[in-house]
Amino acid sequence: LPFEFHFFGQLASSVSVSTNGALYFGYTPQGNDAFSSSAGLKNYPMIAGLWDDLRTDRRPDDGVYMVKPDADRVIFRWQAVTFDTPLPGGGTRGEHPVNFEIELQRDGDIIIRYGEGNDNVWPIVGASGGERESYLVSSHSPENGFLNLGNAPTITFNQPACSYSLNSLTQSVPANSSSGAVAVDAGGSCPWTATSNVSWISIAYGANSIGSSTVTFNVFTNQSPNPRSGTLTIAGQPFTVNQSGVA
């Protein structure tokens, strides 16, 4: 990916693309993933744009294309046909053109758009973090039978706006070496960093985190009789450490 993507509390730097209309983050199904289901959606960290039994080897321009309109967006575009699946009682569903795309945005938003075609599809559409609760788009995911998603309504998954707060904005420590901690309250999938702005304070834990967590830091001995103050920047907010001078 051209940027780190916020997905169900994780930062993803890469994605696996399935010709069967899905993107996988992290682990992927073993073998063929052509058989989609709402239960299967819950098993993988994935985005199902039009998860169905598809093929991209029938027409000269078929394939999955990646487009980067700008630095904050990447689009995966499918041009395929449905697999000519045998039907109960005889016959097949036929090979029908499929055209849709999944757009990932740097802020974590997901947009799924549908073009012409998409007849006789039996897809699963939604998003899932794997072990977490999945989001199934029921209007685009028929329980029984085929449907037409030609120029279907666009699906948008919005990342909640991130906000951060610290349980304290300052802490006093003695002149000898010591440690401290500050708790960060953040949304479940909101990333943040912690950095020290002075050489005598180091981040021990929590330099890069997602969601609510705790930052711990170490303070080196102050060998001067004069007290000193230093700051940390935690989730974009200043945190001040006041250290006594040596007696």
Side-chain angles (χ1 to χ4, degrees):
L1 294 174
F3 48 78
E4 290 191 316
F5 181 67
H6 311 303
F7 189 70
F8 283 87
Q10 302 294 324
L11 284 176
S13 58
S14 63
V15 63
S16 297
V17 180
S18 169
T19 57
N20 290 315
L23 300 177
Y24 294 95
F25 299 84
Y27 58 96
T28 60
Q30 297 295 317
N32 192 352
D33 69 339
F35 301 102
S36 60
S37 67
S38 57
L41 181 67
K42 299 178 180 180
N43 292 334
Y44 303 98
M46 66 181 294
I47 300 170
L50 196 157
W51 185 20
D52 195 357
D53 194 358
L54 308 177
R55 58 189 307 171
T56 57
D57 61 350
R58 301 299 278 176
R59 302 175 300 176
D61 294 332
D62 280 353
V64 183
Y65 301 90
M66 186 176 75
V67 181
K68 294 183 285 186
D70 53 52
D72 297 320
R73 296 183 297 155
V74 60
I75 296 173
F76 296 90
R77 185 170 294 146
W78 279 258
Q79 291 180 198
V81 297
T82 56
F83 192 84
D84 194 15
T85 311
L87 301 177
T92 61
R93 76 162 158 176
E95 294 183 347
H96 301 274
V98 171
N99 298 282
F100 72 98
E101 65 184 27
I102 300 175
E103 177 178 316
L104 307 182
Q105 300 184 356
R106 186 184 294 271
D107 62 5
D109 288 354
I110 302 165
I111 302 175
I112 308 175
R113 304 181 185 91
Y114 300 90
E116 296 181 354
N118 305 325
D119 295 324
N120 270 28
V121 292
W122 195 339
I124 290 294
V125 176
S128 171
E131 295 180 358
R132 302 173 185 240
E133 183 176 355
S134 63
Y135 295 90
L136 177 71
V137 182
S138 56
S139 61
H140 292 49
S141 306
E143 291 187 10
N144 297 291
F146 301 109
L147 86 166
N148 175 18
L149 287 181
N151 297 308
T154 296
I155 302 299
T156 302
F157 296 97
N158 292 119
Q159 182 79 18
C162 291
S163 62
Y164 307 93
S165 63
L166 310 182
N167 70 332
S168 174
L169 296 178
T170 184
Q171 186 170 336
S172 297
V173 297
N176 58 301
S177 61
S178 58
S179 61
V182 56
V184 181
D185 185 25
S189 59
C190 292
W192 50 271
T193 62
T195 58
S196 173
N197 301 313
V198 294
S199 61
W200 49 273
I201 306 174
S202 64
I203 304 297
Y205 176 81
N208 293 277
S209 298
I210 297 176
S212 298
S213 188
T214 299
V215 174
T216 58
F217 55 90
N218 295 324
V219 182
F220 304 150
T221 299
N222 184 4
Q223 298 179 347
S224 168
N226 300 318
R228 58 184 179 180
S229 295
T231 60
L232 308 178
T233 301
I234 303 174
Q237 302 183 50
F239 178 82
T240 302
V241 177
N242 298 311
Q243 186 178 34
S244 303
V246 64

